[in-house]
Amino acid sequence: MLKKFYEQVNLFFNIMYAQNMTIVSGIFLAIGIILEFMDINFIVNPIWLTIFISGTPIIFFALKYLILYRQITALVLISIGIISALAIGETFAAAEVAWIMALGGILEDRTVSRTKHSIQNLINLVPTMARLISQNQEKMVQAEQVKLNDIIRILPGEQIPVDGEIIAGSTTVNQAVLTGESLPLDKGIGDEVYCGTLNMHGSVDIRCTNESKNSSIQKMVRLVEEASANNSPIQRIIDRWAVRLILIALTIAVLTYIFTGDLIRTVTVLVVFCPCAMALATPTSIMAAIGQASKNGVLIKSGHALEIMGKVNAIAFDKTGTLTTGKLAVTDIIAENGNEKEVLFLCAEAEQRSEHPLAKAVLQYYKKEYQEPLPQEGTFAMEAGLGIVYTNNNHTVRCGKLQYMQQNAIEISEQLKAQEELLRKQGKALIFVAKDKQCIGIIGLADTIRDTAKESIQALHDLGITTTLLTGDNKITAEFFANKIGIDSIYAELLPEEKVENVQKLQKENTVCMIGDGINDAPALKFADVGVAMGQAGSDISIEAADIALIGEDLGKIAYLKKLSNATVFSIKLNITIAFAINFIAMLLGIMGIIGPVIGALTHNAGSILVILNAARLYEKKIQ
């Protein structure tokens, strides 16, 4: 019964301290000031409503943290000031202090990042049904009912419901959800497949090697949840100093009463010591910086991240969709006889009925380069994981892997073999094009590097930041891209949990920022000291998991973020200095009896206004 009563009281005061009620409280305070100025009396003074709405929650939360958690916060000092002012009948001073603190709390709450939505999106990626094969019969069952070593059949276009090993058939699987790889992978008997990935071509039977609760996607969910639990919002600077401020305030107040014997002066000291301007110092600067960043194409969701960004000295990048565009494009056409158009035309003609991403990239390139229509007659057949064959009245065209050419006894010249080796070292995907029994060329495709990537990496190096590449792509591809743009170190062929492990290794000696765009990057984004997502190309989950999102695709904004963070921290420190100076002067005046509690409370307004104005300068500041 007592526990239920406490929960209801806690809920009540949370509602009272929320944004809407704080606005109502401010309206009552304004009405009270106007009525007092006009010397109009009501049965209930609206200022008492302000004290009830904004003041009682402060006292409740101060007692809650003090009794339940044995934690002394700045709310204790504020509560002392409010109660002291009320004790001598200075209701306006009590109301003004309470409302200013409630306003500061709202500004701070708006800088806290959200995580529940991203976790739910991860869970939604897991297929709920599976096609169980038992005694040569297909049966649809709930995915969580699939046990170890059960046989599951996956049809083209379906998501894989559990981790498993292919025991029959071959296919192409898009694993971008887990590894971020730009290219789908061909899979055959004995290869592993993962829950949540997409089966693109071919029907396969798999043997379950991980039940649904232990699948790759569920591991990602647990990683994000764990990181969220450890990722605290920004701690107010006044809370760090709360115990000292309370001791100083009480000591000075007691000494004031001992030496003056004046209760009014004593209460003035307590009211003046309420850290209203200090409470606004951090949130106002952060809100101004968030506004400045939004104008420049950056969304900042966490004030804590903005503060920490200035300390970052190591940045880890995902590759696909982050340093690259995430879109495949034709980069090379190697023709045996020098006729590149023929190689491209025959490949586009053959691949126009294929759904493979490489085929789509070839067709897109052909349509861009040539406006000529492709013939529609002929027959088309595909061998999953190997290639396609297209036949019309004139010739037979095969497009696919080197292995596919060899299986069909296609002749490949030494010149093309040498070119093939060179292109592979550059990490490119290759399509061999054969006309009848002769290979006539090779088409190379790759994910394209962002225009600003190299310049952005150099700008970070100039700021003394080390850079690391964390990617699910193969090592050859990773090394080619990293060397091209100047990345310091490389870790390739990583699963999401391995990206997290590498981030944690970096954190042992560095403050780490992780930049990514895919679902597979979400855990690493959460575990890093600061997570930055590519907003335009990024998945909803990575954007939700990150503290900061880039609206566009300009990686140069990373260096801008670090400079903005430095400017924000400086603004916060300057605000605190202003607040301390004003409080100190007001305290001396209060001790001397020059000002009373009401003037002391109004002094808070002056300090708060100065703090807000100083923070507002950050909004218009030019950061190069």
Side-chain angles (χ1 to χ4, degrees):
M1 178 71 73
L2 189 61
K3 182 180 178 182
K4 187 174 182 180
F5 175 73
Y6 163 75
E7 289 175 350
Q8 290 176 338
V9 172
N10 190 63
L11 177 62
F12 171 77
F13 282 116
N14 272 303
I15 293 172
M16 294 285 281
Y17 210 55
Q19 179 173 323
N20 290 341
M21 291 305 294
T22 300
I23 293 171
V24 172
S25 174
I27 292 170
F28 282 131
L29 179 62
I31 293 172
I33 293 171
I34 293 170
L35 293 177
E36 192 165 314
F37 179 76
M38 297 176 66
D39 199 22
I40 299 174
N41 293 319
F42 274 141
I43 299 174
V44 177
N45 189 336
I47 287 178
W48 278 103
L49 295 176
T50 298
I51 294 169
F52 177 72
I53 294 171
S54 295
T56 54
I58 289 174
I59 297 170
F60 171 78
F61 290 128
L63 291 172
K64 172 183 171 180
Y65 281 99
L66 192 61
I67 296 170
L68 295 183
Y69 308 114
R70 294 179 175 82
Q71 182 179 348
I72 297 176
T73 67
L75 294 178
V76 175
L77 180 55
I78 296 158
S79 299
I80 292 171
I82 292 172
I83 293 169
S84 300
L86 290 175
I88 62 169
E90 297 289 355
T91 54
F92 172 78
E96 191 272 344
V97 168
W99 186 74
I100 287 291
M101 289 307 301
L103 179 63
I106 289 173
L107 291 174
E108 244 179 318
D109 287 342
R110 292 183 66 179
T111 68
V112 177
S113 60
R114 297 170 298 170
T115 59
K116 290 183 180 179
H117 185 55
S118 63
I119 294 172
Q120 186 58 50
N121 282 346
L122 279 173
I123 294 171
N124 291 340
L125 287 173
V126 181
T128 57
M129 303 298 291
R131 188 176 285 100
L132 181 66
I133 306 299
S134 179
Q135 298 178 348
N136 294 323
Q137 297 290 321
E138 288 187 12
K139 181 182 178 182
M140 296 301 293
V141 299
Q142 294 290 326
E144 60 262 27
Q145 294 177 336
V146 178
K147 305 299 181 187
L148 284 177
N149 297 317
D150 280 352
I151 307 302
I152 306 296
R153 180 161 294 162
I154 318 294
L155 301 182
E158 292 183 342
Q159 280 185 303
I160 298 171
V162 294
D163 294 346
E165 178 184 345
I166 296 177
I167 61 171
S170 60
T171 187
T172 303
V173 178
N174 186 334
Q175 295 188 158
V177 67
L178 279 179
T179 65
E181 292 169 291
S182 53
L183 296 174
L185 296 181
D186 296 323
K187 301 275 187 176
I189 294 173
D191 289 333
E192 288 184 318
V193 291
Y194 303 103
C195 177
T197 58
L198 179 65
N199 180 37
M200 301 183 66
H201 307 291
S203 174
V204 292
D205 290 349
I206 68 170
R207 177 179 59 83
C208 175
T209 56
N210 265 328
E211 295 180 3
S212 179
K213 62 182 179 181
N214 295 319
S215 69
S216 305
I217 289 289
Q218 290 297 344
K219 287 178 182 176
M220 288 176 62
V221 172
R222 285 194 287 272
L223 284 171
V224 173
E225 287 176 332
E226 181 182 342
S228 300
N230 295 328
N231 192 13
S232 301
I234 188 169
Q235 182 186 21
R236 288 186 296 179
I237 291 174
I238 53 170
D239 282 338
R240 301 173 194 168
W241 285 75
V243 176
R244 298 174 193 176
L245 286 172
I246 289 171
L247 290 174
I248 293 170
L250 291 176
T251 300
I252 294 175
V254 169
L255 290 173
T256 300
Y257 187 73
I258 290 172
F259 285 103
T260 67
D262 190 339
L263 188 60
I264 298 294
R265 296 189 189 191
T266 303
V267 172
T268 301
V269 169
L270 292 173
V271 170
V272 166
F273 247 99
C274 288
C276 296
M278 285 181 64
L280 292 171
T282 296
T284 51
S285 293
I286 287 174
M287 291 299 291
I290 289 173
Q292 148 92 245
S294 65
K295 289 194 303 179
N296 287 277
V298 180
L299 296 178
I300 300 174
K301 299 187 291 176
S302 166
H304 177 66
L306 181 62
E307 187 181 35
I308 296 300
M309 191 68 197
K311 302 175 184 177
V312 165
N313 59 352
I315 295 183
F317 290 89
D318 171 52
K319 182 183 76 70
T320 307
T322 303
L323 293 172
T324 68
T325 61
K327 299 174 183 177
L328 286 169
V330 173
T331 57
D332 302 88
I333 301 176
I334 310 299
E336 174 71 15
N337 59 5
N339 190 346
E340 295 178 1
K341 182 178 179 180
E342 180 188 21
V343 173
L344 178 62
F345 175 83
L346 290 177
C347 185
E349 180 185 10
E351 295 276 20
Q352 62 184 313
R353 300 182 193 179
S354 173
E355 291 297 317
H356 198 285
L358 295 182
K360 291 180 178 179
V362 170
L363 282 169
Q364 185 177 7
Y365 184 79
Y366 175 82
K367 290 175 181 177
K368 179 182 176 182
E369 294 295 315
Y370 305 103
Q371 303 301 318
E372 303 168 13
L374 294 167
Q376 298 299 313
E377 66 274 5
T379 60
F380 170 87
M382 179 184 71
E383 290 191 38
L386 290 172
I388 58 103
V389 58
Y390 172 80
T391 305
N392 60 22
N393 295 331
N394 300 319
H395 45 250
T396 298
V397 177
R398 284 183 170 85
C399 302
K401 292 182 171 182
L402 176 61
Q403 180 186 353
Y404 186 51
M405 300 292 115
Q406 292 168 341
Q407 286 181 2
N408 289 278
I410 303 297
E411 293 182 17
I412 304 175
S413 70
E414 292 301 320
Q415 178 189 351
L416 287 180
K417 288 180 181 178
Q419 290 293 328
E420 182 260 353
E421 185 177 353
L422 179 63
L423 293 173
R424 283 199 186 282
K425 287 181 179 178
Q426 296 176 1
K428 295 179 179 177
L430 305 180
I431 300 176
F432 285 82
V433 182
K435 182 178 179 181
D436 298 322
K437 287 295 182 179
Q438 181 69 39
C439 182
I440 63 169
I442 304 172
I443 295 179
L445 302 97
D447 192 359
T448 52
I449 297 174
R450 292 192 187 278
D451 295 337
T452 58
K454 187 173 182 178
E455 180 184 346
S456 300
I457 296 298
Q458 184 58 52
L460 293 174
H461 288 165
D462 292 342
L463 291 171
I465 297 173
T466 60
T467 54
T468 301
L469 181 65
L470 303 180
T471 179
D473 266 358
N474 65 76
K475 190 174 181 180
I476 294 175
T477 302
E479 287 178 344
F480 174 76
F481 276 95
N483 292 334
K484 200 165 184 179
I485 63 175
I487 292 276
D488 294 321
S489 56
I490 307 158
Y491 298 92
E493 300 175 12
L494 302 178
L495 291 174
E497 57 266 32
E498 291 171 327
K499 286 189 176 183
V500 170
E501 289 170 6
N502 279 281
V503 166
Q504 290 175 321
K505 286 178 184 177
L506 286 170
Q507 285 175 316
K508 290 178 180 179
E509 297 180 357
N510 302 280
T511 302
V512 179
C513 171
M514 173 70 192
I515 304 173
D517 74 302
I519 296 166
N520 61 300
D521 298 318
L525 289 169
K526 269 294 175 191
F527 269 89
D529 297 293
V530 182
V532 179
M534 303 296 290
Q536 188 167 329
S539 68
D540 290 341
I541 292 172
S542 69
I543 293 169
E544 287 290 339
D547 305 294
I548 299 168
L550 305 184
I551 298 173
E553 300 179 345
D554 184 4
L555 290 169
K557 298 300 182 185
I558 306 302
Y560 158 81
L561 268 172
K562 183 166 176 62
K563 294 174 183 176
L564 176 63
S565 173
N566 293 337
T568 305
V569 171
F570 176 79
S571 176
I572 290 171
K573 290 179 178 178
L574 181 58
N575 279 345
I576 292 170
T577 302
I578 292 171
F580 260 124
I582 290 174
N583 280 10
F584 180 75
I585 294 170
M587 179 192 67
L588 291 178
L589 295 174
I591 292 172
M592 296 167 64
I594 297 174
I595 64 172
V598 173
I599 300 300
L602 289 173
T603 303
H604 285 94
N605 279 336
S608 299
I609 290 169
L610 285 175
V611 163
I612 292 170
L613 290 174
N614 180 57
R617 290 172 57 247
L618 188 60
Y619 182 76
E620 298 294 341
K621 185 179 178 67
K622 290 185 179 180
I623 297 176
Q624 301 299 328

